[in-house]
Amino acid sequence: MRTAEREEWVDRVRGICMLAILLFHTENYYNGVEILPYALYVDNVLIAFFFISGYLFHSGKRPFSFLAKIRSIFRSIILPYFIFTTLIAVPKTFAHSDTTMTEVIHGILTGHASWFVAALAVAEILFALMMVLCKQRLNRLAIVSSILFLLVAMAYHLIDNDLLEQYNYWCHHNAMLMMPFLVMGYAYRHHTQWQLWFNRRRTILFFVYFFAIIKGIVHAEHMTLTMQPIHVSSFFLLIADGLAGTVLLIAFCRWMRSSRLIQYVGRHSIIYYFICGGVPFVVTQALTRAGLPYNGKYPLIILAFIFVVLIATAITYIIISFPQKVWKTRG
């Protein structure tokens, strides 16, 4: 499998996941609540991001360097987190009249200004430590990640959830909960037999039925698998649902043709994530004031979603190209 091909399907996975998150926020801001059930897809696309992070964590072409990886995490995740959350602090305070600047700053410092990015940073730091302590052995990584997962599951089963969330600094509970998926992604990249097994038609067909059964159970029993705040009815189903959804998403993205837009979104998904709340909010407010409020007509959601994607892409392009233009000017 050529590197270029591998990167294309990875970008398609991240692109589809990011578009799904943009759709979710568009529905929320336009209608007041989501229209497509949250449990149908949102948890799955968030989990897929962690799986792909594990897949991309270490190529294996060079010896693993803990310090180099920490620098990479700081440069690509933590630094952008502080830059973007600080830039949107003032607009966020104006948009939410019941939120003070002190609360916004506290949210930034504690990692709650963008919970997913904070959890991803902590998860990758934990995984880097595990790579060193476990000497990159998959069986040891699997055991340690399972222990971290079970610790969180037991805590949220035995202790008051509101109290746990109060001390969930930098969303480390969410990060620990996602560690098995990082290990799965890492194993998928470094073990050819996993890739072959995942790509078999029988395997995909099995996971189609398995995924449908899980979603049927979740819907029929009114269960939740929400990760922020952590509100999980069954931690076993969380693992099963996350794995099944990721397998099917990867299979679909390997099968589909190249898409410049989806892959562009995927390559720059972290920037899209930082603006995935602000852009849908502004677009839906503008449409409502222009005489197009949502009145139960889903085509209006599609229209708003198209505007959201176009505007978010334009903003992302400006953010990416601006430093390059400044550098060329100085040169």
Side-chain angles (χ1 to χ4, degrees), residues 95-110:
H96 302 280
S97 56
D98 57 338
T99 303
T100 65
M101 181 59 71
T102 302
E103 291 173 331
V104 172
I105 294 172
H106 180 266
I108 294 172
L109 296 177
T110 57

Side-chain angles (χ1 to χ4, degrees), residues 73-85 270 274:
I73 294 169
F74 178 82
R75 186 173 57 251
S76 61
I77 303 178
I78 297 176
L79 185 59
Y81 167 85
F82 280 109
I83 292 173
F84 281 99
T85 54
I270 192 166
F274 283 118

